[in-house]
């Protein structure tokens, strides 16, 4: 069931997209800006201090609703749904629009890195044993198209002590666009220092 906050985030995602692409006149932009400012003031009446962090869902599972990649309450997030396959592969299918553009018609390389960091990291994260990124190496093979179906997938290559080595890629309709290799570290005690 979608919550009111998730519907709000989806509405803001659409707003971001049309804000980039609109060609309405200045008077219409000014009128909309006034409405957005009013809505922002209303939503600001009660805020969580700092970051949203991780919450516990109705099923008792922890969820990162504010996460920039998967956060259902974060309108910057696409958001991705990460799937864990029986063979240990992690994957997600998605389409990115105007908010993620780098070169015209293509996804920004930094957005590709963000997605691959999360997907590769999902292979290393275990219940009660989080993993943080140590290194992430990317190779851009061709432009990743905007507005087309994409798939990111990853799997664990090997584990050496507290380090998990993962590999993965993003693929579009014309094949693989970006490959990645990452080293993910399991901090002592399950907590990241700092």
């Amino acid at each position: 069931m979608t919550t009111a906050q998730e519907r709000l985030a989806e509405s803001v995602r659409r707003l971001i997209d049309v804000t980039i692409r609109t060609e309405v006149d200045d008077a219409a932009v000014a009128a909309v800006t006034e409405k957005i400012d009013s809505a922002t003031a209303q939503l600001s009446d009660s805020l969580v201090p700092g970051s949203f962090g991780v919450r516990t869902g109705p099923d008792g599972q922890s969820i990162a609703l504010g996460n920039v990649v998967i956060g259902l309450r974060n309108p910057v997030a696409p958001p991705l749904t990460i799937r864990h396959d029986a063979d240990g592969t992690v994957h997600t299918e998605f389409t990115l629009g105007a908010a993620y553009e780098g070169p015209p018609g293509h996804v920004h390389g930094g957005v590709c890195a963000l997605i691959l960091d999360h997907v590769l990291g999902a292979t290393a994260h275990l219940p009660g044993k989080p993993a943080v990124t140590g290194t992430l190496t990317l190779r851009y093979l061709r432009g990743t198209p905007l507005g087309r179906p994409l798939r990111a997938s990853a799997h664990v290559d090997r584990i050496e002590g507290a380090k998990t080595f993962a590999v993965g890629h993003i693929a579009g309709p014309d094949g693989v666009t970006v490959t990645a290799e990452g080293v993910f570290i399991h901090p002592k005690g399950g907590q990241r220092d700092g």
Side-chain angles (χ1 to χ4, degrees):
M1 184 169 129
T2 303
T3 68
Q5 291 85 2
E6 290 168 10
R7 288 191 301 276
L8 172 62
E10 182 55 39
S11 179
V12 175
R13 283 184 197 102
R14 290 190 307 273
L15 176 63
I16 290 168
D17 180 75
V18 299
T19 298
I20 295 166
R21 298 183 306 118
T22 190
E23 293 188 345
V24 298
D25 63 33
D26 287 350
V29 169
V32 170
T33 300
E34 187 175 316
K35 290 176 187 175
I36 292 169
D37 289 345
S38 175
T40 301
Q42 186 177 358
L43 291 171
S44 297
D45 284 345
S46 179
L47 298 174
V48 171
S51 72
F52 194 74
V54 175
R55 303 293 169 103
T56 302
D59 61 358
Q61 297 292 320
S62 63
I63 47 177
L65 294 172
N67 184 285
V68 72
V69 179
I70 61 171
L72 295 176
R73 286 184 66 168
N74 186 341
V76 175
L80 303 185
T81 299
I82 305 298
R83 306 211 186 279
H84 296 264
D85 300 328
D87 67 357
T89 302
V90 172
H91 77 274
T92 183
E93 295 175 351
F94 55 99
T95 300
L96 298 174
Y100 306 98
E101 187 169 30
H106 293 89
V107 178
H108 191 287
V111 173
C112 293
L114 175 81
I115 289 169
L116 285 166
D117 178 45
H118 193 90
V119 173
L120 269 67
T123 68
H125 184 84
L126 303 169
K129 193 174 180 184
V132 296
T133 308
T135 61
L136 184 66
T137 305
L138 298 143
R139 184 166 181 235
Y140 297 90
L141 306 175
R142 62 170 56 95
T144 303
L146 279 176
R148 305 282 302 277
L150 302 170
R151 179 182 172 98
S153 61
H155 66 274
V156 172
D157 183 51
R158 68 187 186 281
I159 298 172
E160 296 177 4
K163 296 180 181 179
T164 298
F165 295 78
V167 296
H169 65 270
I170 294 176
D174 298 324
V176 174
T177 63
V178 186
T179 61
E181 298 176 3
V183 179
F184 297 86
I185 301 163
H186 298 278
K188 291 180 181 176
Q191 300 293 322
R192 183 175 186 164
D193 295 334

